Amino acid sequence: MDYLPLFHNLKGRNVLVVGGGEIALRKVRLVQEASAIITIVAKDFCPDLLDMAERDKEHGCNGLHLITAPYKLEHLQAIPKLVLVIAATNDRELNRLVSEHAQAANVLANVVDDPGYSTVIFPSIVDRSPIQIAISSGGDAPVLVRMLRTKLEALIPAGTSKLAALAGSFRERVKARFANGADRKAFWEEVFAGPIAEQAYANNLDSAEQLLAQKLESSDEFKTGEVYLVGGGPGDPDLLTFKALRLMQQADIVLYDRLVSKEVLNLVRRDATRIYVGKTAGDHPVTQENINQKLVDYALEGHRVVRLKGGDPFIFGRGGEEIETLAEHGIPFQVVPGITAASGCASYAGIPLTHRDYAQSVRFIAGHLRSGKMDLNWPELVQPNQTLVFYMGLSGMETICDELKQHGLDPQTPAALIEKGTSYNQQVFVGDLDTLPATVRAAGAQAPTLIIVGHVVSLHRKLAWFNLAERPE
Ligand code: SAH
């Protein structure tokens, strides 16, 4: 190990920065975040540094002092109890001289972009104060470090700060309650992987605090259940949200639909119980009431339940009804949006739903037949400059196309049917209101399929980019 990572408490301690440009500014900002008292020596200062000093003075902080002069050893020697010197000029020789002075005085030295002359280096930081993650390659691969940081930023919920602060405020009480370290650890593990953490991430801090207090006071067996209504997207597992993935990996029980892809389901925590509650058209093995009740029962038993649905739970997903029942029973729940079939299929088929040359609006329509009929407001649907997206429209496709024509839409209006959108089996059939049904029936397309009608469909030829090997003629 070339460097030992340490976290430096700079609060109220003296730091010297040499240099007044943009590079110095970046370091000053960081050190200021850590509440150090900063002296900056430079021949001149960039406007932002001058502003910062001005604001510091206005607020009476007395934390930032500018000295306009060429750097001299005396500047360094004049600062009492100096703990850190940062050389950030664009003069390499001067930077090295500053570092030598600092080291001779036994003060930590950092030279920007010159690790060889530094005794300490600045890491890349993922800041979820009070949680801090510092990453460094010792100067070997800064770009790699930046990429790793981006990954971590995405992985760690933004609300981690709030959760850590909450934990901090309960630390002593938890210590008093559990004398044994192993019990304490088990307690915190449950807190950080359950509804309390989720409430903190959702910025429901009162509720998180209340749950934590309850958990602390109740018996060891006490557990709070919660239901997460999660959108699993249209199929491609890469389209899940970070939040969906996190909750799927914490769940005790997962109730899922027919439309949830195998690849998405594979991402559920290994030892979670998986319960299929799917419905196939015209055949309802598990009634909606039954699903609603199951969610309530499992949550009341204290489980973390994920209700995993295809696409987005609030778009033709009856998600609203499920959480209404939960709300009536006072069970905490959260809703995680997913990419709905219209967005997923349109993107993966290269059909921009509202390309401004062709459409100013888009409609999502339930296109299923009820007793052989489709009761829709057709005169509205044939208005110009809009894109129509029909969900559940495969069996009624002929009716959809006929009705649109009868109500005045040009029979040559482009139309597409996307089968199993966003999966490797995706097929896109393109035609117009006259030709599409026959093309689709001849190919024997199977559910799930989505129908898009409107001039934006013509862009598919130019913009298709996904799964081109499987493209039908
Ligand atoms: N909540 C879901 C929709 C449920 S209704 C969502 O937001 O996407 C079910 C209908 O969604 C299907 O009949 C089909 O029209 C459409 N659908 C869902 N996934 C699809 C996919 N991968 N490809 C094409 N259509 C899909």
Side-chain angles (χ1 to χ4, degrees), residues 231-236 257-261 309-319 338-345 364-368 389-394 417-423 426-427 446-451:
D236 181 351
D257 278 350
R258 183 173 52 95
L259 276 176
V260 174
S261 75
K309 288 175 161 293
D312 182 282
F314 277 5
I315 294 187
F316 304 129
R318 306 191 70 171
I339 294 196
T340 190
S343 294
C345 295
F364 295 175
I365 304 148
H368 52 248
V389 180
F390 291 91
Y391 287 68
M392 302 168 275
L394 182 60
L417 180 136
I418 298 138
E419 177 185 9
K420 302 190 176 69
T422 79
S423 78
Q426 169 174 300
Q427 299 259 25
Q446 301 280 320
T449 68
L450 196 82
I451 299 168

Side-chain angles (χ1 to χ4, degrees), residues 86-201:
I86 300 166
T89 73
N90 50 13
D91 177 342
R92 209 174 165 82
E93 291 313 312
L94 175 60
N95 284 347
R96 290 182 171 185
L97 180 73
V98 173
S99 171
E100 279 162 16
H101 288 168
Q103 291 183 55
N106 254 333
V107 175
L108 299 177
N110 174 263
V111 180
V112 174
D113 287 336
D114 201 349
Y117 271 78
S118 302
T119 60
V120 288
I121 54 177
F122 280 83
S124 197
I125 300 171
V126 179
D127 186 4
R128 301 282 189 278
S129 288
I131 305 259
Q132 301 272 11
I133 302 172
I135 318 164
S136 160
S137 64
D140 285 348
V143 176
L144 182 59
V145 165
R146 219 170 305 141
M147 286 166 68
L148 288 172
R149 194 192 119 191
T150 308
K151 276 195 190 169
L152 288 172
E153 288 280 7
L155 235 121
I156 300 168
T160 302
S161 294
K162 303 205 180 307
L163 180 59
L166 177 69
S169 68
F170 270 73
R171 225 179 118 199
E172 292 309 320
R173 282 167 70 184
V174 173
K175 242 189 193 161
R177 164 86 163 71
F178 301 102
N180 179 332
D183 290 348
R184 220 151 50 220
K185 179 165 167 270
F187 176 85
W188 283 124
E189 275 172 358
E190 269 185 31
V191 169
F192 294 143
I196 296 172
E198 290 306 325
Q199 287 297 319
Y201 296 153

Side-chain angles (χ1 to χ4, degrees), residues 373-393:
K373 283 209 204 110
M374 212 175 292
D375 193 15
L376 293 172
N377 188 341
W378 298 104
E380 262 189 20
L381 300 187
V382 298
Q383 294 304 309
N385 301 327
Q386 62 177 342
T387 303
L388 307 177
V389 180
F390 291 91
Y391 287 68
M392 302 168 275

